[in-house]
Structure formats: C-alpha cells, structure tokens
Amino acid sequence: MVGAAAAHHGGEFRWPEPVDLSDLLPGQTNGIVTLGLERIQGALASLGNPHNSFVAIQVAGTNGKGSICSLVHGALTAHGLRSGLYTSPHLVSWCERIRVGQAFIPPATLRSLLLELGPLTQQWSLTPFEQLTVAAFLHFHRQGVDLAVLEVGLGGRLDATTAHSRRPIVAFATIGEDHQEYLGADLTSIAGEKAGVLSPGCVAFSGPQPAAVVPVLRQAAADCGATITWVPPLADHGFQALHLSLRGQVQRHNAAVAMAVLEHVSATMHPLDGQRSRGGMASVHWPGRLQQCQWQGHPLLVDGAHNRSAALCLRQQLDDSDPPAPVHWVLGILANKDAVGMVQALLRPGDRVWLVEIGDSRCWTTDQLAQGLSAPQAACLQVPSPRLGATWPVSVALRQAVQPPGSKAQVVVAGSLYLLGQLHRQGVIRIVEEN
C-alpha cells in the first residue's frame, strides 16, 4: 500500500491506505439501510450547513454511476479546480470514497471526522452512509472545494447525497433492476425513485435508457421544472480517441454523459478546455470494471457486475470478443441479489460456474441457485464437496477455474464489488497495468 496522497502515479493505480473503522462503522455488506432526508438534514443544519459552500454535480442510476463520476472529476481536476469526489462502495479502503483532486482522504482525517460527528450521529440516529456523507461534505468544505461530484448511494429521492441543496447539474447512468426491496418491484417504480434527484431549474443529462424509464424521467423533469437532455453514446472512433483506461462498450454511454456534463459546466460555471478535459478523463483509474488482473500468474478478467442488467452488458462484451471462448465464472453473489437472473444472463453452452463466499456475508449457495435454473444451466454449476461447505473457498475455485493447463477458457471473476474488494484487499489478485 502507498500513502493517501495520490490515486495514481505514472499511470499506475495505487490503492489508498487501509483504515480500520470497525469500531465506528459496520462492514459494507452489514450496514443499516434506512432511507430519508430528515436525519442528515438535521445533522447538517447543526453544523451550519457546511455543504452550502460548494456546488455539487449529482449522478444517479443503477450501473455506471461511478464511471461517470470519476470521468467528470478527472476532467475538473485536470483544470486545477478544487474538485471533490464522493463514491460508494469502496474496494480496499474506506478512504476511496472521498477525494479532493487526486488525493484520497487520509485515514487519520476520516477517523477524526467520524469521531467528531459522533454526538450528531447519536442525536440524529444517522445511518453509516449518512455518517460518511456528512463527513464528505465537511471535508469538502474544509478543503475549500469549488465543485463536488456526488454518486448517489441508493435510489435518489431519499438518498443522503440529495440532502445537498445546490445541485444544478444531475446525470443519469443506465437505470435497471436492483435493490427492489427498497425501490420497488419494477423499472417504472425504480426510475421514479431515481428521478427524485431532479429539482426545479436543474439541468439533467441521461444516456439511453430502457423504454420503461424514459417517460418516467421525462415526466419527472416536466413536473418539477427541470430540463433533461438525452445524450447518444459516443461513436467507436470518438470513444477510442479518448484513450480511457475504462474498458467496454458500455463506457461509450458513460463517457458521452460525462462529456455532456463537462460542456455544461464549461458554459455555465468554469470555462474548460476540451483537450485538457480529455486528458483528465484519460488519467482516470476506476478499478473493478472489465479489468485485467492476475492470480498466481494466470490471467483473470474481473468485473463488478452485480445485477441482471450489468450481467447482460458483461456477457455482450465477452460475446463480441474474437474468437469467442468458453468462460469459467467465479461468482460471489449476495443473498439479496437476483442470482438466477444474473447467471441466466451470463451463461453460454460450455461455460462453468463456481459460486464462492464473500467474507462473512450471506451469499447464494450452489444448491439454491440450481433450483432456479434449467437443467442444462444447472449442469454448469460446479458442486463443492460437503467438507468445503455450501460455497467454494475462493482459492479453491480459482485453482480449479484456471485448470487444466493450456485451457482456452477465459476466467472471469464477477457477481459483487465486495468480492473484488476482498480479493484485492487480501492480495489474492493483482491489477495488470496496460499500456
């Protein structure tokens, strides 16, 4: 690990320093989810509303929010602006979630902020995500940021980031089915919750959306007096000219939305140079998205796909490869996710699947998943012996997935960002830097 001063150096991504906050926050997958704005608004008011000192760009959606946020932030930082970035979840360190420019928040600063906020946390019964959001706002205020880029944590209408009162620009990543237990059972309901980030007079940008989502966003914008602009994905040549480290066709959508946001920032807030913006975007490292890694010298592709729509995009990316090859999937899927839908989207004849454990989290087991799949699909599941338990230990699954020597199968690790974080944090896999 290296210091928290830089997110990357010389083209190589560097993780921030780890920080043990177990005495202040629960684990990522064990957090309390209680949506609502009253608690965080009360806590911020008690602090004198420090977030009013900077303007925010808020990014909502299901898949691609973090990519859009990181690209916008990278471009703003390249211009020398004091840009703050707030994202979730993290992979290795809580410090990944809060940045000013290229600097992750130092571990000592984050711990100090959470301790300082302890009385307000108790007074207002703040959830862990609300604690982190208040800490981010306070850090950005004290660091004198000009502009902050905020990734919505869950939904939008009642998400803690929506407590920021100065959000003149909103962006929407692709909206799909996820977190239905909080946002509603169908795309219309989910889109309605995410459209709740719109406010009177704000300007919103969205890439292509599923047919059920478009009228919801359009009506929500009309109802509150916001403006929404639909942004087509970049053409292949335009996307390739950006030289992004973020891979995959889906990034054509995310990069187009990020560029539309930056054009609006340039026209209304801070003049930006297009070439410098593109350079800043090219400098962005956003781990865990179609990323080349290695395990004991064996190549792996890792991706944080954790819902059906993301799984469909991942599968399409692999199908477009030349020549296509069978895939050995090493998947960790949390118990509250649509594992059946995800695996149905991922599987092709000849593929094999190992379901693995994710720390102390409740995950889908091989037996549970087999019950929801067709017989041919269930036959792709590799069944662990009783002595190993209901899921495979990750090291055993990886060892089997890369066998036999010389196999032409591609090994892909996916199903949860928490799984990827665990593997990076433990040093099980390492990033392969690409030129």
Side-chain angles (χ1 to χ4, degrees):
M1 297 295 177
V2 299
H8 54 84
H9 176 71
E12 179 184 356
F13 180 81
R14 304 290 183 88
W15 297 107
E17 294 177 8
V19 53
D20 181 9
L21 300 177
S22 56
D23 56 329
L24 300 172
L25 298 172
Q28 285 205 90
T29 61
N30 301 314
I32 301 167
V33 177
T34 307
L35 297 175
L37 299 179
E38 298 82 4
R39 296 179 302 276
I40 188 169
Q41 287 173 337
L44 288 169
S46 299
L47 292 167
N49 291 314
H51 56 298
N52 287 345
S53 65
F54 58 89
V55 174
I57 298 169
Q58 188 183 29
V59 183
T62 304
N63 298 310
K65 293 177 296 185
S67 296
I68 294 172
C69 286
S70 64
L71 291 171
V72 171
H73 173 72
L76 296 176
T77 299
H79 284 85
L81 294 171
R82 295 284 286 175
S83 176
L85 177 64
Y86 179 53
T87 60
S88 62
H90 62 270
L91 293 181
V92 170
S93 170
W94 290 99
C95 295
E96 292 169 48
R97 295 175 176 233
I98 304 172
R99 306 186 200 186
V100 174
Q102 294 183 2
F104 296 108
I105 186 171
T109 302
L110 180 54
R111 167 169 282 280
S112 176
L113 282 169
L114 291 173
L115 288 170
E116 177 185 344
L117 295 172
L120 285 179
T121 296
Q122 291 191 351
Q123 178 184 349
W124 293 99
S125 301
L126 298 181
T127 67
F129 186 71
E130 290 167 349
Q131 292 178 62
L132 287 164
T133 305
V134 175
F137 288 178
L138 198 53
H139 183 62
F140 294 158
H141 168 70
R142 291 175 177 174
Q143 290 292 308
V145 304
D146 303 304
L147 199 58
V149 185
L150 311 177
E151 178 184 2
V152 169
L154 179 60
R157 181 175 64 92
L158 299 175
D159 185 75
T161 60
T162 304
H164 197 291
S165 54
R166 301 178 64 198
R167 295 173 289 112
I169 304 175
V170 168
F172 289 101
T174 302
I175 295 174
E177 293 181 347
D178 201 6
H179 299 296
Q180 289 97 319
E181 66 270 37
Y182 301 109
L183 305 180
D186 53 38
L187 270 180
T188 300
S189 301
I190 294 169
E193 286 296 316
K194 294 182 184 292
V197 299
L198 297 170
S199 60
C202 81
V203 176
F205 299 91
S206 174
Q209 296 286 0
V213 170
V214 173
V216 177
L217 296 185
R218 183 176 288 133
Q219 188 61 52
D223 288 346
C224 76
T227 301
I228 186 163
T229 299
W230 304 97
V231 183
L234 294 176
D236 280 339
H237 68 276
F239 176 65
Q240 292 168 5
L242 291 175
H243 303 293
L244 302 184
S245 65
L246 284 69
R247 302 174 62 232
Q249 289 298 306
V250 69
Q251 297 298 349
R252 294 169 51 225
H253 300 239
N254 297 332
V257 172
M259 292 178 73
V261 167
L262 291 167
E263 288 173 5
H264 189 70
V265 170
S266 183
T268 61
M269 296 182 186
H270 302 279
L272 303 177
D273 174 73
Q275 184 174 353
R276 187 173 293 181
S277 289
R278 290 188 292 273
M281 293 168 67
S283 73
V284 166
H285 292 254
W286 194 236
R289 284 77 178 173
L290 282 174
Q291 188 171 44
Q292 298 292 338
C293 291
Q294 283 189 352
W295 175 76
Q296 296 187 359
H298 298 279
L300 307 174
L301 181 69
V302 303
D303 189 81
H306 59 278
N307 52 55
R308 186 173 181 275
S309 55
L312 286 168
C313 289
L314 173 56
R315 184 67 251 188
Q316 183 61 54
Q317 187 69 29
L318 295 176
D319 287 343
D320 290 342
S321 63
D322 186 27
V327 179
H328 287 178
W329 298 98
V330 177
L331 304 176
I333 305 176
L334 296 179
N336 65 334
K337 298 296 182 179
D338 176 18
V340 173
M342 289 171 58
V343 172
Q344 287 174 336
L346 292 173
L347 279 182
R348 294 289 184 271
D351 290 359
R352 299 168 69 187
V353 177
W354 288 259
L355 278 187
V356 300
E357 57 197 5
I358 305 176
D360 298 325
S361 305
R362 291 180 56 246
C363 297
W364 279 78
T365 66
T366 305
D367 288 343
Q368 291 171 335
L369 183 56
Q371 295 173 17
L373 299 176
S374 67
Q377 292 170 332
C380 297
L381 299 179
Q382 308 303 296
V383 180
S385 65
R387 66 180 179 82
L388 292 177
T391 54
W392 290 89
V394 175
S395 59
V396 178
L398 287 171
R399 189 177 307 117
Q400 291 198 11
V402 301
Q403 297 296 326
S407 169
K408 295 183 179 180
Q410 182 173 14
V411 181
V412 181
V413 182
S416 174
L417 284 167
Y418 301 121
L419 171 63
L420 305 190
Q422 172 183 305
L423 298 181
H424 281 300
R425 190 168 56 251
Q426 296 173 350
V428 175
I429 61 177
R430 68 177 185 85
I431 297 172
V432 177
E433 295 299 331
E434 301 178 66
N435 297 326

